[in-house]
Amino acid sequence: SQQGEEDPQALSIQEGENATMNCSYKTSINNLQWYRQNSGRGLVHLILIRSNEREKHSGRLRVTLDTSKKSSSLLITASRAADTASYFCATDQTGANSKLTFGKGITLSVRP
Amino acid sequence: AAGVIQSPRHLIKEKRETATLKCYPIPRHDTVYWYQQGPGQDPQFLISFYEKMQSDKGSIPDRFSAQQFSDYHSELNMSSLELGDSALYFCASSPRRGTEAFFGQGTRLTVV
């Protein structure tokens, strides 16, 4: 079954609101990463949180990790229309050498 | 700063033909990944290399092969192409395995 399931699958908010996206995974991990992708473009790395970390911030981004629940959340504060994109979580699994496993993306639409 | 370069950006092939996709990772990155992303799908891990040696293998068909050369560029070779191979193919590199991945803009392969 899929590693890194995101929810919701789609999210539509007004500019200025906060957006929260969740991700669950199934195996032990070394770290969990969030990426964004504009339509048909390459993925852009946003933030990485290690398995021994619980929360991390980067600008308007806040990511949490709960390894006991095997879940993570990405919060984008004060959203902008330019944040409109698909967001993916990806896990670096324990025991894998060089492999990032992506979950299904969340499509975020920020209305101006 | 230099990013991951992929070529070609677009490729149209007929069924049963072969295709070669090229990737030039960021200098001094030790890990290269290849991903396949179908329309509306999450990126599927194909294969990775660490210091020019094959590291992990994902859901890569036997018709596909990849290698990394002495100059660190990598090629994904795809033979006996099928309609279902139509997708975006991404290459990514990491400065150290298990860290953030930097993605190229992808090659859009269309098999007709």
Side-chain angles (χ1 to χ4, degrees):
Chain A
S1 48
Q2 187 74 40
Q3 176 88 338
E5 298 283 345
E6 285 100 334
D7 78 83
Q9 294 298 301
L11 185 60
S12 180
I13 59 174
Q14 199 73 37
E15 205 166 28
E17 293 181 334
N18 296 341
T20 300
M21 291 166 272
N22 302 303
C23 164
S24 61
Y25 57 92
K26 291 178 168 55
T27 65
S28 296
I29 61 170
N30 297 316
N31 65 64
L32 184 144
Q33 305 176 30
W34 284 90
Y35 289 80
R36 66 171 278 167
Q37 184 180 35
N38 289 89
S39 181
R41 306 292 297 273
L43 292 100
V44 176
H45 178 264
L46 295 176
I47 195 164
L48 179 155
I49 186 165
R50 302 195 184 285
S51 60
N52 61 354
E53 297 176 311
R54 292 296 164 258
E55 187 172 316
K56 204 162 183 182
H57 297 254
S58 176
R60 293 184 297 114
L61 304 179
R62 172 180 169 255
V63 65
T64 62
L65 179 65
D66 187 335
T67 52
S68 66
K69 295 181 180 177
K70 291 188 167 56
S71 68
S72 173
S73 68
L74 174 68
L75 168 68
I76 303 175
T77 60
S79 63
R80 305 166 182 168
D83 294 328
T84 296
S86 292
Y87 291 81
F88 295 87
C89 72
T91 52
D92 175 35
Q93 298 169 35
T94 305
N97 291 322
S98 306
K99 178 180 178 182
L100 277 176
T101 303
F102 283 82
K104 296 196 187 306
I106 300 168
T107 301
L108 174 66
S109 298
V110 181
R111 302 186 301 275
Chain B
V4 175
I5 307 294
Q6 290 188 247
S7 68
R9 292 294 308 279
H10 302 272
L11 191 57
I12 300 175
K13 290 285 186 177
E14 295 189 353
K15 284 192 304 183
R16 292 179 289 277
E17 285 193 316
T18 61
T20 297
L21 279 53
K22 295 186 178 183
C23 169
Y24 297 86
I26 294 172
R28 291 179 294 283
H29 280 200
D30 65 14
T31 304
V32 169
Y33 310 83
W34 283 98
Y35 286 85
Q36 176 192 60
Q37 187 178 30
Q41 302 296 310
D42 54 288
Q44 291 291 320
F45 173 75
L46 293 177
I47 195 167
S48 63
F49 294 87
Y50 171 68
E51 286 294 345
K52 297 174 283 187
M53 299 291 289
Q54 184 180 307
S55 180
D56 278 89
K57 212 168 181 180
S59 49
I60 182 169
D62 292 341
R63 300 178 289 107
F64 294 7
S65 65
Q67 54 184 322
Q68 188 174 20
F69 296 86
S70 57
D71 65 353
Y72 285 87
H73 94 273
S74 179
E75 294 183 3
L76 178 66
N77 299 291
M78 309 158 70
S79 62
S80 303
L81 287 168
E82 302 173 357
L83 295 178
D85 296 328
S86 295
L88 268 170
Y89 290 84
F90 289 105
C91 173
S93 68
S94 290
R96 295 183 316 281
R97 58 184 179 186
T99 62
E100 67 271 29
F102 295 81
F103 281 75
Q105 288 301 302
T107 294
R108 183 174 295 280
L109 172 67
T110 303
V111 182
V112 298

